[in-house]
Amino acid sequence: MPSPPRTAFRERALALMSAHPLIDSHVDLPVIMRSISRNPVETVPLVAGAFPGHVDVPRLRAGRVGGLFMSVWIPAAEGSDWANTEGMLQTAFEQLDLVRLLMKESDFCAARTSAEVRAAFAAGQIAVSIGVEGAHMLGNSLAVLRAYADLGVRYLTLTHTNHNVFASSAGSGGASLEPAHPGDGLSAFGEELVGECNRLGVMIDLSHVSDQTMRDALRLSRAPVIFSHSNARAVCAHARNVPDDVLDLLGTGPGQNDGVVQCVFLPDFVDPHEPTLERVADHIEYLATRCGKRHVGIASDFDGMKDGVAGLEDCSKYPELVAELLARGWSDADAAAVMGGNLLRVMDAVDAVHASLAAAGARASAAVWEGRRDLPAPWGGTDDEEFSDDVKEYLRAARKEWADKGLLDMDNVEPV
């Protein structure tokens, strides 16, 4: 028997969204802000009115949005030069700056924790959290991750559409990428990254990564993970979507991860032949059946795509999706969990792991990418003449030890 038309459930959806925050885990508004102005900071106050793209304050209000994750994203290096991150940090920090400035606008409120999201929602503000979409923006350094965490970054996507020194990517869905790391998953340095994210309370995002990277991260992470904007591959056969064997690793049973898959609206990941709101709901229902309703959420990818699916064209349309779920028989409690409750639960669990590791005295990872050529720093002059005698003596002994271990080319005095 077909579901009743969702128009009959719109008022119920609006009432539910007035009581519980809808949180979109992936919005690319900063991309538009940087792309339409030579002075992107000047666009910050303009978001309060009609703004190009899919997202602005009037439409967020019409869509009853309680919170969203602004994505900090810049393109990854193309082709086989994926380890080259030259110049990326400046641009990434500029994008992060845009988000932090937006947070200070009157309609928005910075929110790193679930309590801060709920407080902003209660105050009638839109909670803004930060995700960094791609570990290529770490500059091949865990120190940058630690700086991001201090600046409020809440999740890190391990790759974008190309590999990086930490992890293997699923690519863009076109020609498959050549494997980057053993097994086409995490590198040893990427395993360190997973542990450091857990220690810092940064959520690990597995959208965009290869299937093996998904499995590796799920095996290693002590905290729940997220897929910030992905769908079910069984419903739409795209490499960016999550395969069933990985979905089966999500859950509350032994060996499972209590994470969440946030369903995305990008047509190619929904159904390239029938990209509609109803098909997004089909993905949500498939995921709910496969791994449980506590493991599903909502992500749009607005402003990160040309067009949304029919019925979800911009951020004013979220009530239609909630009404569709209610029309299909979802309870208010289950719909509220998908709207944002499940993601807030994951945030709390990640924070609990962070607190536990801090209480146990966990220290920052000292791991350094093996490809670095700038360490140890050659800052003492040609013959270390700028250093004191005890530093020179220490370096002589240390360099001999490094050379004996094959870590130093004594002819060039550089790490290898």
Side-chain angles (χ1 to χ4, degrees):
M1 182 175 180
S3 301
R6 66 173 174 269
T7 52
F9 292 84
R10 196 170 194 280
E11 290 304 314
R12 182 175 152 199
L14 292 174
L16 190 62
M17 298 173 81
S18 296
H20 303 276
L22 180 139
I23 305 168
D24 185 329
S25 60
H26 198 87
V27 171
D28 277 307
L29 175 60
V31 172
I32 304 300
M33 297 170 71
R34 188 179 182 89
S35 299
I36 67 172
S37 176
R38 178 165 174 77
N39 304 99
V41 170
E42 294 180 349
T43 68
V44 170
L46 303 182
V47 176
F51 196 76
H54 304 132
V55 179
D56 54 38
V57 169
R59 286 178 287 177
L60 287 169
R61 294 298 191 187
R64 302 297 202 277
V65 175
L68 47 79
F69 280 76
M70 294 283 189
S71 175
V72 172
W73 171 83
I74 65 173
E78 297 182 355
S80 60
D81 195 25
W82 43 262
N84 179 14
T85 62
E86 184 177 358
M88 288 185 182
L89 286 184
Q90 174 183 323
T91 309
F93 273 99
E94 288 177 351
Q95 291 299 88
L96 179 56
D97 178 60
L98 281 181
V99 178
R100 287 170 58 84
L101 290 172
L102 267 176
M103 289 171 159
K104 295 178 172 65
E105 295 295 295
S106 59
D107 288 284
F108 298 113
C109 181
R112 190 184 182 283
T113 67
S114 69
E116 290 168 345
V117 171
R118 295 186 191 281
F121 180 68
Q125 293 178 295
I126 300 166
V128 178
S129 305
I130 306 171
V132 169
E133 189 180 7
H136 60 287
M137 285 178 279
L138 298 185
N140 302 336
S141 171
L142 296 179
V144 177
L145 173 70
R146 293 188 279 269
Y148 282 156
D150 284 344
L151 289 169
V153 168
R154 192 68 240 236
Y155 75 67
L156 173 72
T157 315
L158 296 190
T159 72
H160 195 245
T161 54
N162 203 352
H163 309 307
N164 56 52
V165 302
F166 301 98
S168 304
S169 170
S172 60
S176 60
L177 297 175
E178 289 294 321
H181 304 295
D184 202 31
L186 290 173
S187 66
F189 195 36
E191 293 183 358
E192 291 283 341
L193 175 64
V194 168
E196 195 68 346
C197 283
N198 286 169
R199 188 186 70 84
L200 293 166
V202 173
M203 294 188 292
I204 296 163
D205 174 22
L206 299 181
S207 287
H208 281 293
V209 306
S210 70
D211 293 358
Q212 190 57 45
T213 297
M214 296 178 194
R215 298 182 191 107
D216 289 347
L218 285 162
R219 172 177 52 84
L220 291 169
S221 181
R222 302 187 189 190
V225 304
I226 66 168
F227 294 78
S228 71
H229 58 306
S230 295
N231 284 332
R233 195 177 298 175
V235 178
C236 178
H238 194 290
R240 270 279 283 103
N241 289 336
V242 189
D244 279 352
D245 75 287
V246 172
L247 292 178
D248 291 343
L249 298 175
L250 298 178
T252 57
Q256 291 184 306
N257 183 285
D258 198 18
V260 63
V261 181
Q262 303 285 112
C263 284
V264 66
F265 304 168
L266 195 150
D268 283 351
F269 306 160
V270 174
D271 185 333
H273 308 294
E274 188 186 354
T276 63
L277 178 155
E278 291 81 5
R279 292 296 283 155
V280 173
D282 289 345
H283 279 276
I284 291 173
E285 293 213 292
Y286 180 86
L287 291 165
T289 299
R290 186 84 193 192
C291 47
K293 289 181 177 178
R294 73 184 265 119
H295 303 290
V296 193
I298 293 173
S300 63
D301 209 5
F302 283 142
D303 285 339
M305 56 187 169
K306 182 177 183 295
D307 298 301
V309 299
L312 292 168
E313 293 86 359
D314 62 36
C315 68
S316 70
K317 302 293 186 177
Y318 297 102
E320 301 302 319
L321 180 58
V322 177
E324 177 68 19
L325 295 178
L326 295 175
R328 295 184 181 205
W330 284 58
S331 69
D332 285 5
D334 286 339
V338 169
M339 282 164 42
N342 290 336
L343 184 58
L344 293 175
R345 168 184 57 76
V346 169
M347 292 168 69
D348 286 342
V350 170
D351 285 343
V353 170
H354 160 67
S356 174
L357 291 171
R363 299 179 64 87
S365 171
V368 173
W369 177 47
E370 62 186 8
R372 293 281 293 269
R373 292 294 182 270
D374 60 329
L375 292 172
W379 295 344
T382 305
D383 295 312
D384 300 326
E385 67 270 13
E386 301 297 327
F387 289 148
S388 62
D389 290 342
D390 61 332
V391 173
K392 291 179 184 179
E393 185 174 344
Y394 183 94
L395 280 171
R396 279 195 293 271
R399 285 172 180 149
K400 183 179 186 307
E401 181 181 346
W402 296 333
D404 290 344
K405 293 180 178 178
L407 300 175
L408 200 68
D409 180 348
M410 289 300 288
D411 292 331
N412 296 303
V413 194
E414 288 184 354
V416 296

